[in-house]
Amino acid sequence: MTETKFTPRVFSGIQPSGNLHLGNYLGALKRFVDMQGPEMETVYCMVDLHAITVWQDPKELAHSTRELCAGFIAAGIDPEQSILFNQSQVPEHAQLAWIFNCVARMGWMQRMTQWKDKAGKNQQNASLGLFAYPSLMAADILIYHATHVPVGEDQKQHLELTRDIAIKFNNDFGVDFFPVTEPVIEGAATRVMSLRDGTKKMSKSDPSDMSRINMTDGADAIAQKIRKAKTDPDALPSEIDGLEGRPDARNLINIYAALADQSVEQVLADVGGKQFGEFKPMLAELAVAKLSPISSEMARLMNDQAEIDRILARGAERARIIAEPILRQTYDIVGVVSSARG
Ligand code: ATP
Ligand code: MG
Protein backbone atom coordinates (compact mmCIF):
# COMPACT_ATOMS: atom_id res chain seq x y z
CA MET A 1 0.00 0.00 0.00
CA THR A 2 1.49 3.38 -0.98
CA GLU A 3 1.71 6.07 1.67
CA THR A 4 -0.66 8.99 1.24
CA LYS A 5 -2.08 11.67 3.49
CA PHE A 6 -5.50 10.14 2.85
CA THR A 7 -7.13 7.74 5.26
CA PRO A 8 -7.41 4.37 3.54
CA ARG A 9 -10.95 3.93 2.31
CA VAL A 10 -12.37 1.36 -0.10
CA PHE A 11 -15.02 2.21 -2.67
CA SER A 12 -16.54 0.05 -5.38
CA GLY A 13 -19.80 -0.26 -7.29
CA ILE A 14 -21.87 -2.65 -9.37
CA GLN A 15 -24.52 -1.70 -11.92
CA PRO A 16 -28.10 -2.92 -11.47
CA SER A 17 -28.11 -3.60 -15.21
CA GLY A 18 -29.32 -7.20 -15.05
CA ASN A 19 -28.59 -10.40 -13.18
CA LEU A 20 -25.55 -10.60 -10.95
CA HIS A 21 -23.29 -13.30 -12.38
CA LEU A 22 -20.33 -15.41 -11.40
CA GLY A 23 -17.88 -12.82 -12.83
CA ASN A 24 -19.36 -10.10 -10.62
CA TYR A 25 -19.17 -12.44 -7.65
CA LEU A 26 -15.58 -13.63 -8.10
CA GLY A 27 -14.14 -10.42 -9.60
CA ALA A 28 -15.96 -7.99 -7.34
CA LEU A 29 -18.41 -9.04 -4.59
CA LYS A 30 -16.31 -11.78 -3.01
CA ARG A 31 -13.37 -9.41 -2.88
CA PHE A 32 -15.50 -6.63 -1.40
CA VAL A 33 -16.30 -9.01 1.42
CA ASP A 34 -12.60 -9.83 1.90
CA MET A 35 -11.79 -6.14 2.27
CA GLN A 36 -14.50 -5.50 4.82
CA GLY A 37 -13.07 -5.28 8.31
CA PRO A 38 -12.49 -3.01 11.27
CA GLU A 39 -9.24 -1.57 9.89
CA MET A 40 -10.69 -0.18 6.65
CA GLU A 41 -13.82 1.85 5.88
CA THR A 42 -15.70 0.21 3.00
CA VAL A 43 -18.24 1.98 0.79
CA TYR A 44 -20.22 -0.11 -1.71
CA CYS A 45 -22.68 1.25 -4.19
CA MET A 46 -25.38 0.10 -6.59
CA VAL A 47 -24.57 2.41 -9.49
CA ASP A 48 -28.02 2.93 -10.99
CA LEU A 49 -27.03 6.13 -12.79
CA HIS A 50 -24.43 4.10 -14.68
CA ALA A 51 -27.01 1.45 -15.57
CA ILE A 52 -29.22 3.99 -17.38
CA THR A 53 -26.43 4.95 -19.80
CA VAL A 54 -28.08 2.19 -21.84
CA TRP A 55 -31.87 1.72 -21.87
CA GLN A 56 -33.30 0.02 -18.77
CA ASP A 57 -36.92 -0.84 -18.25
CA PRO A 58 -37.88 1.34 -15.23
CA LYS A 59 -39.64 -1.45 -13.31
CA GLU A 60 -36.80 -3.87 -13.92
CA LEU A 61 -34.24 -1.27 -12.89
CA ALA A 62 -35.92 -0.78 -9.52
CA HIS A 63 -36.18 -4.55 -9.07
CA SER A 64 -32.54 -5.11 -10.09
CA THR A 65 -31.36 -2.42 -7.69
CA ARG A 66 -33.09 -4.10 -4.75
CA GLU A 67 -31.97 -7.54 -5.88
CA LEU A 68 -28.40 -6.29 -6.16
CA CYS A 69 -28.64 -4.95 -2.62
CA ALA A 70 -29.83 -8.41 -1.54
CA GLY A 71 -26.87 -9.89 -3.45
CA PHE A 72 -24.37 -7.71 -1.61
CA ILE A 73 -25.78 -8.72 1.76
CA ALA A 74 -26.18 -12.41 0.87
CA ALA A 75 -22.56 -12.51 -0.30
CA GLY A 76 -21.43 -11.23 3.09
CA ILE A 77 -21.53 -7.43 3.06
CA ASP A 78 -22.74 -6.23 6.44
CA PRO A 79 -24.72 -3.00 5.95
CA GLU A 80 -23.71 -1.86 9.43
CA GLN A 81 -20.00 -2.34 8.88
CA SER A 82 -19.93 -1.17 5.26
CA ILE A 83 -21.81 1.77 3.80
CA LEU A 84 -24.24 0.20 1.30
CA PHE A 85 -26.46 2.39 -0.87
CA ASN A 86 -27.61 3.27 -4.38
CA GLN A 87 -25.90 6.04 -6.28
CA SER A 88 -28.94 8.13 -7.20
CA GLN A 89 -29.75 8.73 -3.52
CA VAL A 90 -26.45 10.57 -3.09
CA PRO A 91 -26.65 13.51 -5.52
CA GLU A 92 -23.03 14.51 -4.86
CA HIS A 93 -21.87 11.78 -7.29
CA ALA A 94 -23.58 13.45 -10.24
CA GLN A 95 -22.60 16.92 -9.06
CA LEU A 96 -18.91 16.03 -8.86
CA ALA A 97 -19.19 14.20 -12.19
CA TRP A 98 -20.12 17.48 -13.85
CA ILE A 99 -16.99 19.14 -12.50
CA PHE A 100 -14.98 16.16 -13.81
CA ASN A 101 -16.66 16.47 -17.23
CA CYS A 102 -14.96 19.84 -17.35
CA VAL A 103 -11.59 18.36 -16.31
CA ALA A 104 -11.48 15.20 -18.45
CA ARG A 105 -10.61 15.56 -22.13
CA MET A 106 -12.57 14.23 -25.11
CA GLY A 107 -9.52 12.29 -26.28
CA TRP A 108 -9.28 10.44 -22.95
CA MET A 109 -12.88 9.28 -23.24
CA GLN A 110 -12.56 8.29 -26.87
CA ARG A 111 -9.78 5.85 -25.99
CA MET A 112 -11.89 3.89 -23.50
CA THR A 113 -12.39 0.32 -24.66
CA GLN A 114 -15.67 -0.04 -22.73
CA TRP A 115 -17.04 2.94 -24.68
CA LYS A 116 -15.91 1.40 -27.96
CA ASP A 117 -17.31 -2.04 -27.05
CA LYS A 118 -20.65 -0.82 -25.74
CA ALA A 119 -21.27 1.89 -28.36
CA GLY A 120 -20.32 -0.58 -31.09
CA LYS A 121 -20.41 0.54 -34.70
CA ASN A 122 -23.02 3.21 -34.14
CA GLN A 123 -21.25 5.64 -31.80
CA GLN A 124 -23.28 8.58 -33.09
CA ASN A 125 -26.39 6.97 -31.71
CA ALA A 126 -24.99 6.06 -28.26
CA SER A 127 -26.02 8.16 -25.29
CA LEU A 128 -23.86 11.03 -24.11
CA GLY A 129 -24.06 9.37 -20.69
CA LEU A 130 -22.36 6.24 -22.01
CA PHE A 131 -19.51 8.38 -23.33
CA ALA A 132 -19.16 10.27 -20.03
CA TYR A 133 -19.45 7.06 -17.95
CA PRO A 134 -15.80 7.09 -16.76
CA SER A 135 -16.15 10.65 -15.51
CA LEU A 136 -19.10 9.65 -13.30
CA MET A 137 -17.11 6.62 -12.16
CA ALA A 138 -14.21 8.88 -11.16
CA ALA A 139 -16.70 10.99 -9.20
CA ASP A 140 -18.14 7.87 -7.47
CA ILE A 141 -14.68 7.08 -6.18
CA LEU A 142 -13.28 10.53 -5.50
CA ILE A 143 -16.36 11.95 -3.76
CA TYR A 144 -15.25 9.65 -0.89
CA HIS A 145 -11.54 10.34 -1.32
CA ALA A 146 -11.35 6.57 -1.73
CA THR A 147 -7.82 5.23 -1.88
CA HIS A 148 -8.48 1.62 -2.89
CA VAL A 149 -10.90 0.33 -5.50
CA PRO A 150 -11.39 -3.44 -5.89
CA VAL A 151 -12.65 -4.21 -9.42
CA GLY A 152 -12.41 -6.79 -12.17
CA GLU A 153 -9.75 -6.49 -14.84
CA ASP A 154 -12.15 -4.83 -17.31
CA GLN A 155 -12.27 -1.69 -15.14
CA LYS A 156 -8.50 -1.13 -15.08
CA GLN A 157 -8.58 1.48 -17.83
CA HIS A 158 -11.36 3.43 -16.11
CA LEU A 159 -9.32 3.48 -12.91
CA GLU A 160 -6.32 4.83 -14.78
CA LEU A 161 -8.57 7.57 -16.10
CA THR A 162 -9.77 8.25 -12.54
CA ARG A 163 -6.13 8.77 -11.57
CA ASP A 164 -5.62 11.09 -14.57
CA ILE A 165 -8.66 13.14 -13.56
CA ALA A 166 -7.45 13.43 -9.95
CA ILE A 167 -3.97 14.46 -11.09
CA LYS A 168 -5.24 17.00 -13.62
CA PHE A 169 -7.70 18.50 -11.13
CA ASN A 170 -4.95 18.81 -8.51
CA ASN A 171 -2.59 20.39 -11.07
CA ASP A 172 -5.16 22.71 -12.63
CA PHE A 173 -6.07 24.18 -9.26
CA GLY A 174 -2.68 23.84 -7.53
CA VAL A 175 -4.02 21.63 -4.74
CA ASP A 176 -3.39 18.17 -3.31
CA PHE A 177 -7.07 17.47 -2.85
CA PHE A 178 -8.00 14.26 -4.62
CA PRO A 179 -6.08 11.04 -3.87
CA VAL A 180 -4.50 9.11 -6.71
CA THR A 181 -6.48 5.93 -6.26
CA GLU A 182 -4.97 2.43 -6.25
CA PRO A 183 -6.76 -0.19 -8.31
CA VAL A 184 -6.98 -3.52 -6.49
CA ILE A 185 -7.25 -6.21 -9.17
CA GLU A 186 -6.31 -9.49 -7.55
CA GLY A 187 -7.19 -13.16 -7.40
CA ALA A 188 -7.68 -16.08 -9.77
CA ALA A 189 -10.77 -14.63 -11.43
CA THR A 190 -10.19 -10.97 -12.23
CA ARG A 191 -11.66 -11.65 -15.67
CA VAL A 192 -14.21 -14.45 -15.84
CA MET A 193 -14.96 -15.20 -19.47
CA SER A 194 -18.19 -16.09 -21.23
CA LEU A 195 -19.04 -19.80 -21.13
CA ARG A 196 -19.81 -19.57 -24.85
CA ASP A 197 -16.64 -17.73 -25.88
CA GLY A 198 -13.47 -17.81 -23.77
CA THR A 199 -12.18 -14.62 -25.40
CA LYS A 200 -15.18 -12.49 -24.29
CA LYS A 201 -15.89 -11.26 -20.77
CA MET A 202 -18.88 -12.73 -18.91
CA SER A 203 -21.37 -9.83 -18.68
CA LYS A 204 -24.80 -8.98 -17.38
CA SER A 205 -25.59 -7.37 -20.69
CA ASP A 206 -24.64 -10.39 -22.87
CA PRO A 207 -27.85 -11.34 -24.69
CA SER A 208 -27.13 -15.07 -24.25
CA ASP A 209 -28.11 -16.33 -20.80
CA MET A 210 -26.04 -19.48 -21.51
CA SER A 211 -22.92 -17.28 -21.53
CA ARG A 212 -23.09 -16.69 -17.80
CA ILE A 213 -23.92 -18.28 -14.48
CA ASN A 214 -26.37 -16.00 -12.70
CA MET A 215 -26.30 -15.76 -8.92
CA THR A 216 -30.01 -16.61 -9.00
CA ASP A 217 -29.58 -19.79 -11.12
CA GLY A 218 -30.63 -23.04 -9.49
CA ALA A 219 -28.49 -26.18 -9.32
CA ASP A 220 -29.92 -27.63 -12.56
CA ALA A 221 -29.34 -24.46 -14.56
CA ILE A 222 -25.76 -24.19 -13.26
CA ALA A 223 -25.01 -27.82 -14.12
CA GLN A 224 -26.54 -27.44 -17.59
CA LYS A 225 -24.62 -24.25 -18.38
CA ILE A 226 -21.32 -25.81 -17.31
CA ARG A 227 -22.06 -29.01 -19.23
CA LYS A 228 -22.68 -26.95 -22.37
CA ALA A 229 -19.74 -24.57 -21.79
CA LYS A 230 -17.43 -24.35 -24.77
CA THR A 231 -14.23 -26.42 -24.42
CA ASP A 232 -11.62 -28.04 -26.63
CA PRO A 233 -11.11 -31.78 -27.19
CA ASP A 234 -7.84 -32.12 -25.23
CA ALA A 235 -7.38 -33.33 -21.68
CA LEU A 236 -6.54 -30.80 -18.97
CA PRO A 237 -2.84 -30.04 -18.51
CA SER A 238 -0.98 -30.47 -15.21
CA GLU A 239 0.83 -27.14 -15.52
CA ILE A 240 -0.12 -23.56 -16.40
CA ASP A 241 1.91 -23.55 -19.64
CA GLY A 242 -0.48 -26.15 -20.98
CA LEU A 243 -3.33 -23.62 -20.90
CA GLU A 244 -1.58 -21.44 -23.49
CA GLY A 245 -3.89 -20.82 -26.47
CA ARG A 246 -6.79 -22.59 -24.70
CA PRO A 247 -8.98 -19.70 -23.45
CA ASP A 248 -12.04 -21.82 -22.67
CA ALA A 249 -10.05 -24.37 -20.66
CA ARG A 250 -8.22 -21.58 -18.85
CA ASN A 251 -11.51 -19.92 -17.97
CA LEU A 252 -13.02 -23.04 -16.38
CA ILE A 253 -9.82 -23.69 -14.43
CA ASN A 254 -9.69 -20.09 -13.21
CA ILE A 255 -13.31 -20.30 -12.10
CA TYR A 256 -12.62 -23.55 -10.24
CA ALA A 257 -9.56 -22.07 -8.53
CA ALA A 258 -11.37 -18.90 -7.46
CA LEU A 259 -14.39 -20.82 -6.13
CA ALA A 260 -12.20 -23.30 -4.27
CA ASP A 261 -9.85 -20.58 -2.94
CA GLN A 262 -6.93 -22.45 -4.46
CA SER A 263 -4.17 -21.39 -6.81
CA VAL A 264 -4.38 -22.41 -10.47
CA GLU A 265 -1.21 -24.49 -9.94
CA GLN A 266 -2.88 -26.43 -7.13
CA VAL A 267 -5.98 -27.09 -9.18
CA LEU A 268 -3.98 -28.27 -12.21
CA ALA A 269 -1.88 -30.54 -10.01
CA ASP A 270 -5.15 -32.22 -8.96
CA VAL A 271 -7.10 -32.31 -12.22
CA GLY A 272 -4.30 -32.51 -14.82
CA GLY A 273 -4.93 -35.39 -17.23
CA LYS A 274 -8.70 -35.40 -16.72
CA GLN A 275 -11.08 -34.95 -19.66
CA PHE A 276 -13.70 -32.19 -19.52
CA GLY A 277 -16.38 -34.88 -19.22
CA GLU A 278 -14.95 -35.62 -15.78
CA PHE A 279 -13.93 -32.10 -14.79
CA LYS A 280 -17.19 -30.30 -15.66
CA PRO A 281 -19.33 -32.18 -13.09
CA MET A 282 -16.70 -31.40 -10.43
CA LEU A 283 -16.89 -27.73 -11.35
CA ALA A 284 -20.70 -27.76 -11.36
CA GLU A 285 -20.79 -29.36 -7.92
CA LEU A 286 -18.38 -26.79 -6.53
CA ALA A 287 -20.27 -23.87 -8.12
CA VAL A 288 -23.60 -25.08 -6.73
CA ALA A 289 -22.09 -25.59 -3.27
CA LYS A 290 -20.69 -22.03 -3.22
CA LEU A 291 -23.53 -20.19 -4.94
CA SER A 292 -26.73 -21.83 -3.72
CA PRO A 293 -26.48 -20.55 -0.11
CA ILE A 294 -26.06 -17.03 -1.56
CA SER A 295 -28.97 -17.32 -3.97
CA SER A 296 -31.33 -18.70 -1.33
CA GLU A 297 -30.36 -15.89 1.04
CA MET A 298 -30.98 -13.37 -1.77
CA ALA A 299 -34.46 -14.81 -2.31
CA ARG A 300 -35.17 -14.64 1.43
CA LEU A 301 -34.07 -11.00 1.63
CA MET A 302 -36.18 -10.09 -1.40
CA ASN A 303 -39.27 -11.12 0.57
CA ASP A 304 -38.88 -7.96 2.64
CA GLN A 305 -38.34 -5.14 0.17
CA ALA A 306 -39.29 -2.47 2.72
CA GLU A 307 -36.29 -3.59 4.77
CA ILE A 308 -34.04 -3.35 1.69
CA ASP A 309 -35.31 0.18 1.05
CA ARG A 310 -34.57 1.10 4.66
CA ILE A 311 -31.03 -0.25 4.33
CA LEU A 312 -30.48 1.78 1.14
CA ALA A 313 -31.85 4.97 2.69
CA ARG A 314 -29.69 4.56 5.77
CA GLY A 315 -26.61 3.81 3.63
CA ALA A 316 -27.25 6.93 1.55
CA GLU A 317 -27.49 9.06 4.70
CA ARG A 318 -24.14 7.74 5.91
CA ALA A 319 -22.57 8.20 2.47
CA ARG A 320 -23.70 11.83 2.29
CA ILE A 321 -21.96 12.61 5.57
CA ILE A 322 -18.68 11.93 3.74
CA ALA A 323 -19.67 13.19 0.29
CA GLU A 324 -21.22 16.55 1.15
CA PRO A 325 -18.15 18.23 2.67
CA ILE A 326 -15.94 16.91 -0.14
CA LEU A 327 -18.28 18.41 -2.74
CA ARG A 328 -18.39 21.68 -0.82
CA GLN A 329 -14.60 21.84 -0.70
CA THR A 330 -14.42 21.01 -4.41
CA TYR A 331 -16.80 23.87 -5.19
CA ASP A 332 -14.63 26.19 -3.09
CA ILE A 333 -11.51 25.11 -4.95
CA VAL A 334 -13.20 25.60 -8.33
CA GLY A 335 -14.60 28.95 -7.25
CA VAL A 336 -18.30 28.36 -7.75
CA VAL A 337 -20.33 30.11 -5.08
CA SER A 338 -22.43 27.60 -3.17
CA SER A 339 -24.33 27.30 0.06
CA ALA A 340 -23.60 24.51 2.50
CA ARG A 341 -25.95 21.90 0.97
CA GLY A 342 -25.20 20.66 -2.53
P1 ATP B 1 -22.57 -4.73 -17.87
O1 ATP B 1 -22.52 -5.82 -18.91
O2 ATP B 1 -23.93 -4.10 -17.73
O3 ATP B 1 -21.45 -3.73 -17.97
P2 ATP B 1 -21.05 -6.24 -15.96
O4 ATP B 1 -21.33 -7.68 -15.89
O5 ATP B 1 -19.84 -5.80 -16.72
O6 ATP B 1 -22.37 -5.49 -16.48
P3 ATP B 1 -20.59 -4.21 -13.95
O7 ATP B 1 -21.68 -3.76 -13.05
O8 ATP B 1 -20.25 -3.36 -15.12
O9 ATP B 1 -20.96 -5.69 -14.47
O10 ATP B 1 -19.28 -4.47 -13.10
C1 ATP B 1 -19.32 -4.65 -11.67
C2 ATP B 1 -18.00 -5.21 -11.19
O11 ATP B 1 -17.86 -6.57 -11.64
C3 ATP B 1 -16.77 -4.47 -11.72
O12 ATP B 1 -15.80 -4.43 -10.68
C4 ATP B 1 -16.28 -5.34 -12.84
O13 ATP B 1 -14.90 -5.20 -13.07
C5 ATP B 1 -16.62 -6.72 -12.31
N1 ATP B 1 -16.81 -7.67 -13.40
C6 ATP B 1 -17.74 -7.59 -14.38
N2 ATP B 1 -17.64 -8.62 -15.20
C7 ATP B 1 -16.61 -9.38 -14.74
C8 ATP B 1 -16.00 -10.59 -15.17
N3 ATP B 1 -16.46 -11.22 -16.25
N4 ATP B 1 -14.98 -11.09 -14.45
C9 ATP B 1 -14.52 -10.46 -13.36
N5 ATP B 1 -15.03 -9.31 -12.90
C10 ATP B 1 -16.08 -8.77 -13.58
MG1 MG C 1 -19.49 -3.72 -17.03
Side-chain angles (χ1 to χ4, degrees):
M1 209 179 277
T2 32
E3 285 293 316
T4 72
K5 66 167 189 172
F6 297 94
T7 317
R9 182 181 283 146
V10 172
F11 175 89
S12 199
I14 299 184
Q15 301 183 72
S17 52
N19 283 321
L20 266 179
H21 56 77
L22 185 64
N24 299 138
Y25 176 62
L26 295 174
L29 268 180
K30 188 169 186 285
R31 319 241 340 284
F32 299 172
V33 176
D34 294 340
M35 294 183 97
Q36 184 177 249
E39 64 289 345
M40 188 84 114
E41 193 169 16
T42 41
V43 184
Y44 296 127
C45 186
M46 282 123 262
V47 287
D48 44 10
L49 299 178
H50 281 281
I52 59 171
T53 57
V54 297
W55 167 254
Q56 302 292 334
D57 177 89
K59 279 206 184 68
E60 273 174 33
L61 177 64
H63 175 82
S64 298
T65 305
R66 295 188 176 105
E67 193 171 70
L68 179 52
C69 181
F72 270 98
I73 297 170
I77 297 300
D78 171 0
E80 289 303 316
Q81 201 168 110
S82 293
I83 299 180
L84 187 63
F85 68 104
N86 63 309
Q87 190 183 28
S88 54
Q89 289 202 55
V90 181
E92 286 79 6
H93 291 234
Q95 290 174 297
L96 184 62
W98 182 260
I99 303 282
F100 287 169
N101 282 346
C102 303
V103 173
R105 306 288 95 182
M106 292 288 287
W108 298 3
M109 299 293 172
Q110 273 158 347
R111 281 198 293 276
M112 293 297 110
T113 54
Q114 179 176 295
W115 155 248
K116 288 188 250 182
D117 289 347
K118 289 199 170 177
K121 288 198 178 68
N122 198 357
Q123 291 192 350
Q124 294 301 309
N125 206 30
S127 75
L128 182 55
L130 188 64
F131 187 68
Y133 185 115
S135 168
L136 177 58
M137 179 166 157
D140 298 335
I141 296 164
L142 295 174
I143 197 68
Y144 301 102
H145 276 184
T147 54
H148 294 78
V149 184
V151 283
E153 219 267 328
D154 62 302
Q155 292 303 317
K156 188 166 185 254
Q157 199 186 27
H158 286 166
L159 286 181
E160 278 158 12
L161 192 123
T162 300
R163 294 163 68 93
D164 290 342
I165 288 178
I167 293 167
K168 186 169 190 308
F169 181 96
N170 289 346
N171 281 340
D172 284 356
F173 294 100
V175 291
D176 180 17
F177 184 64
F178 286 116
V180 179
T181 299
E182 292 290 327
V184 187
I185 302 171
E186 288 164 356
T190 56
R191 191 175 182 83
V192 176
M193 306 312 266
S194 158
L195 298 179
R196 309 302 295 164
D197 177 354
T199 63
K200 241 176 71 184
K201 179 182 98 65
M202 187 179 283
S203 280
K204 288 190 220 91
S205 53
D206 191 317
S208 163
D209 194 60
M210 290 302 282
S211 71
R212 66 182 158 259
I213 293 173
N214 300 304
M215 297 299 289
T216 49
D217 284 342
D220 291 349
I222 293 176
Q224 194 206 21
K225 286 175 179 180
I226 292 178
R227 194 165 56 242
K228 296 213 164 155
K230 192 168 164 239
T231 45
D232 56 42
D234 297 337
L236 286 160
S238 317
E239 280 166 28
I240 291 191
D241 291 354
L243 292 173
E244 204 54 50
R246 301 178 65 188
D248 300 296
R250 179 188 293 273
N251 188 34
L252 297 187
I253 292 290
N254 284 350
I255 292 174
Y256 191 99
L259 283 171
D261 280 315
Q262 287 178 353
S263 69
V264 170
E265 286 87 346
Q266 268 174 307
V267 174
L268 289 178
D270 292 343
V271 304
K274 287 192 198 304
Q275 295 292 335
F276 282 102
E278 198 179 343
F279 174 68
K280 281 179 165 181
M282 290 170 62
L283 177 59
E285 195 185 323
L286 177 64
V288 170
K290 296 286 176 175
L291 299 184
S292 63
I294 301 175
S295 67
S296 46
E297 180 61 4
M298 273 171 83
R300 194 188 68 76
L301 291 164
M302 283 299 277
N303 284 328
D304 190 354
Q305 299 204 1
E307 175 61 11
I308 290 188
D309 289 357
R310 272 193 296 276
I311 290 170
L312 292 176
R314 171 85 187 110
E317 242 174 64
R318 290 168 66 199
R320 290 198 79 183
I321 292 172
I322 308 173
E324 252 188 65
I326 292 180
L327 182 71
R328 203 177 320 131
Q329 290 170 65
T330 308
Y331 279 169
D332 283 346
I333 292 168
V334 172
V336 294
V337 178
S338 66
S339 59
R341 275 228 153 208

